[in-house]
Amino acid sequence: MHSLVKLFGCNRKAVQASRGANAAIALVKDHYPQHTEQRGYCAACSHSSLQCTQTRIICPKCSVHLCIGDCFKRYHA
């Protein structure tokens, strides 16, 4: 334990990485749904011509429109 403290110090990110931090948490860091006035097609569910869903929710980190819930989760998985 002392050697880890010497190696990483008080750097919380480095300590979490040394423990094998959950990849899902690392992936979605800074990715959150945000409302916007501009509508756009959902990047997750509007790929086929049969379903084209417009939404006002975006992920500001990815700059894409996404339906809230499953689409947001699936896109970031």
Side-chain angles (χ1 to χ4, degrees), residues 42 44-45 69-77:
C42 175
C45 72
D70 288 338
C71 289
F72 198 90
K73 181 179 173 183
R74 186 174 56 236
Y75 186 85
H76 290 100

Side-chain angles (χ1 to χ4, degrees), residues 46-52:
S46 293
H47 292 290
S48 70
S49 60
L50 299 176
Q51 180 180 1
C52 291

Side-chain angles (χ1 to χ4, degrees), residues 31-44:
H31 296 263
Y32 53 89
Q34 182 178 343
H35 183 268
T36 181
E37 291 301 318
Q38 183 181 3
R39 288 182 165 266
Y41 289 103
C42 175

Side-chain angles (χ1 to χ4, degrees):
M1 179 176 80
H2 293 289
S3 61
L4 285 174
V5 171
K6 286 180 184 177
L7 183 61
F8 296 114
C10 294
N11 186 339
R12 185 180 195 136
K13 288 182 181 181
V15 172
Q16 286 177 339
S18 72
R19 287 190 224 151
N22 187 339
I25 293 171
L27 178 65
V28 297
K29 183 180 180 197
D30 299 328
H31 296 263
Y32 53 89
Q34 182 178 343
H35 183 268
T36 181
E37 291 301 318
Q38 183 181 3
R39 288 182 165 266
Y41 289 103
C42 175
C45 72
S46 293
H47 292 290
S48 70
S49 60
L50 299 176
Q51 180 180 1
C52 291
T53 307
Q54 286 193 341
T55 179
R56 290 185 176 174
I57 304 297
I58 64 167
C59 173
K61 185 84 170 183
C62 300
S63 298
V64 295
H65 283 84
L66 294 161
C67 296
I68 195 77
D70 288 338
C71 289
F72 198 90
K73 181 179 173 183
R74 186 174 56 236
Y75 186 85
H76 290 100

